[in-house]
Amino acid sequence: MTAALHDLQRIVGQANAFVPDDRSTYLVDATELRGLQGHADAVVLPGSAEEVAAVVAWCYEREVAIVPRGGGTGFAGGAVPFGGLVLALDRLDRVRSFDPLLWRLEVEAGMRTHDVRRLARENGLLFPPDPGAAEQSQIGGNIATNAGGPHAFKYGVTGAWVTGLEAVLAPGELVRFGGPVRKDVAALDVKSLLIGSEGTLGIVTAAWLRLIPAPEATLPIAAFYRSVAAGCDALLAVVGNGIQAAALEYLDGGTLRHAGAAFPVGVPRNAGFLVIAEADGTEAEAQRIRGELADILSEGALSVVTPPPADLWRWRDGVSLAVAAAHGGKVSEDIVVPVDRLAEAVKATIEIGARHGLEAVSWGHGGDGNLHSTFLVAKDDADALASAEHAADELFATALRLGGSISGEHGLGVTKRGRAGWTPPVERIQVALKATLDAKGLFNPAKKL
Ligand SMILES: Cc1cc2nc3c(=O)[nH]c(=O)nc-3n(C[C@H](O)[C@H](O)[C@H](O)COP(=O)(O)OP(=O)(O)OC[C@H]3O[C@@H](n4cnc5c(N)ncnc54)[C@H](O)[C@@H]3O)c2cc1C
């Protein structure tokens, strides 16, 4: 590796190519909580898109696998390497252009999600996608997973806000698709193919993002219910009454048991389900919508509360970690079902866990029918981890039976690869697209496809 390392150091600078030791953070992502640990021959941190292209060209010539890495917050092991080279985008974190009056922004892929959102906010604008772990995740990682988040209910997922991409494709070419335009149908839509491709087709180096004026007010409301059925009925009533909530989240009773102590307002003792909704718009609009939400959510509720927005969302951001802390580890999935099957999927999660001797809980983006179904395990308990994998298989079968999909947000990565239930034609198309863009199969091998 010494000669190879010197080659790479010549491209990116001596300090920016190194052999990682076993404890390197570049070898794990959020799946560390389920015991996933990778290994790599080198980690490379290019400082520009041109350097990314040069590194990819070097790898393509020598048939070295390339694992693109953003902030390492992924829950599917997509950024975990199993040999080859980790290409981390950390140093590509510049704003290339920003036109607040035109509501558009061009940033490099390594910019943190939180910084993108903050820059927009400081200029009276909003970049709506808000996956958790925004302090650590990168915009390139959000694009590569087509990340969602609570406000995807009203505003859609990351891809809806990307008007153009710059990417390095095989065998090391810097290519642009779209740009600072709001429409473009002058070619096949390769931009959308790259969005959500989990680093299997190339490396995103920059993106043009669409922004909107920030709503004047955001007013959350939270309602507790005794049962899953009562809570899901309330959630469906919000949808059915045509109320445009900005977010429509849920947490089940087990999640409340582990995370409820820090909820900004007291949790009723017999609460078995929580619905969080948010109204936004002008001050008057947000007040009106929250009033309508309050009327509908009150039906069958134990209590309805209006915590301060910052406190509520800070708490919601910490739910995943609070649940993980209960046993030290967790196997957390992200199935999605038609919204009218949500109650069945919430109950099935608990039943599947019980069948495998595991405590199971779920929370998630209820309005989108997207559950973070989670099996609690101790991180070093191999038997429990194996049971959780079997439980996940049953969960995936349930999601498909209910008319949904095994992944609404996190992608397939390595943890869900081969479990999506593709029909043969779908599989054939996926494999053909991969072969067209990555003939040597070097971009994130053995992930997703
Ligand atoms: C506490 C917590 C809460 C979360 N909440 C949500 C949520 O609400 N919604 C949601 O959708 N996700 C959520 N996630 C999952 C995760 O944060 C998102 O998927 C995030 O967008 C991943 O970004 P990242 O930069 O960390 O990517 P990484 O984990 O580094 O990588 C993810 C995948 O993208 C690829 N990749 C990364 N950067 C690039 C690039 N520049 N070019 C090509 N491929 C690339 C990697 O190879 C990998 O396959 C959460 C995670 C945590 C830990």
Side-chain angles (χ1 to χ4, degrees):
M1 190 66 201
T2 320
L5 192 62
H6 285 154
D7 278 359
L8 294 166
Q9 287 174 333
R10 262 194 293 278
I11 299 172
V12 297
Q14 195 171 357
N16 299 313
F18 53 90
V19 177
D21 66 41
D22 291 350
R23 285 167 306 147
S24 169
T25 51
Y26 288 104
L27 303 180
V28 291
D29 68 2
T31 52
E32 202 184 359
L33 291 170
R34 62 200 281 175
L36 202 66
Q37 161 82 34
H39 57 90
D41 300 315
V43 175
V44 177
L45 294 119
S48 66
E50 289 72 22
E51 286 185 8
V52 174
V55 171
V56 169
W58 185 92
C59 290
Y60 231 75
E61 212 176 300
R62 291 162 184 79
E63 311 220 338
V64 174
I66 308 154
V67 181
R69 183 186 177 87
T73 67
F75 270 128
V80 178
F82 297 98
L85 186 145
V86 173
L87 195 157
L89 279 301
D90 304 11
R91 292 175 64 223
L92 267 80
D93 62 353
R94 287 166 288 247
V95 174
R96 288 196 180 163
S97 64
F98 182 29
D99 302 298
L101 296 180
L102 299 172
W103 309 354
R104 70 185 189 209
L105 173 63
E106 182 192 357
V107 296
E108 291 183 334
M111 193 163 171
R112 308 266 162 194
T113 314
H114 173 79
D115 293 334
V116 172
R117 285 172 55 82
R118 193 187 52 206
L119 179 63
R121 197 171 52 242
E122 285 169 356
N123 289 275
L125 296 167
L126 177 70
F127 177 66
D130 60 341
E135 303 267 355
Q136 194 186 329
S137 71
Q138 299 176 2
I139 198 70
N142 292 183
I143 290 167
T145 54
N146 202 5
H151 291 85
F153 179 62
K154 176 173 178 181
Y155 294 105
V157 293
T158 300
W161 300 89
V162 177
T163 64
L165 282 184
E166 178 191 86
V168 173
L169 304 184
E173 284 172 342
L174 196 56
V175 193
R176 287 179 180 188
F177 302 100
V181 290
R182 294 174 69 92
K183 294 174 169 179
D184 182 4
V185 290
L188 291 180
D189 191 0
V190 181
K191 169 183 70 100
S192 294
L193 187 60
L194 290 173
I195 294 169
S197 64
E198 299 181 53
T200 60
L201 302 179
I203 297 174
V204 174
T205 50
W208 284 270
L209 305 176
R210 193 164 67 83
L211 308 169
I212 48 169
E216 189 182 306
T218 51
L219 302 175
I221 182 165
F224 292 96
Y225 302 87
R226 197 181 300 274
S227 67
V228 174
C232 287
D233 282 351
L235 202 141
L236 287 177
V238 171
V239 177
N241 277 278
I243 298 177
Q244 183 57 85
L248 195 51
E249 300 278 290
Y250 86 92
L251 297 94
D252 79 353
T255 307
L256 287 174
R257 252 193 331 276
H258 295 301
F263 190 74
V265 185
V267 176
R269 211 157 26 87
N270 46 356
F273 202 85
L274 169 63
V275 173
I276 297 174
E278 187 171 80
D280 71 359
T282 62
E283 185 67 40
E285 261 168 359
Q287 291 285 0
R288 176 184 55 77
I289 295 169
R290 186 161 73 174
E292 291 170 4
L293 285 167
D295 285 348
I296 289 179
L297 292 175
S298 300
E299 186 92 357
L302 292 169
S303 70
V304 179
V305 293
T306 54
D311 293 353
L312 179 71
W313 290 116
R314 198 175 315 112
W315 173 80
R316 170 63 185 83
D317 265 356
V319 164
S320 178
L321 280 178
V323 170
H327 293 224
K330 65 182 172 68
V331 169
S332 200
E333 303 299 351
D334 61 314
I335 58 166
V336 60
V337 296
V339 67
D340 49 321
R341 313 301 294 268
L342 181 68
E344 286 169 81
V346 171
K347 288 181 195 152
T349 297
I350 297 166
E351 289 160 9
I352 291 168
R355 271 199 292 282
H356 292 270
L358 299 168
E359 183 183 350
V361 303
S362 77
W363 69 93
H365 316 301
D368 287 331
N370 188 187
L371 299 85
H372 293 313
S373 295
T374 299
F375 304 106
L376 302 184
V377 294
K379 208 172 123 183
D380 48 9
D381 183 342
D383 290 342
L385 279 165
S387 299
E389 290 302 336
H390 292 307
D393 276 332
E394 223 179 290
L395 181 76
F396 297 153
T398 302
L400 296 175
R401 180 176 56 76
L402 293 176
S405 154
I406 72 167
S407 179
E409 287 199 320
H410 301 155
L412 302 188
V414 69
T415 60
K416 278 170 278 181
R417 176 179 178 246
R419 295 157 97 177
W422 293 337
T423 59
V426 170
E427 173 143 17
R428 211 167 44 241
I429 292 164
Q430 311 265 324
V431 169
L433 288 169
K434 165 82 172 168
T436 300
L437 285 175
D438 181 17
K440 293 188 178 179
L442 297 177
F443 284 115
N444 224 357
K447 306 282 173 59
K448 194 164 186 120
L449 297 146

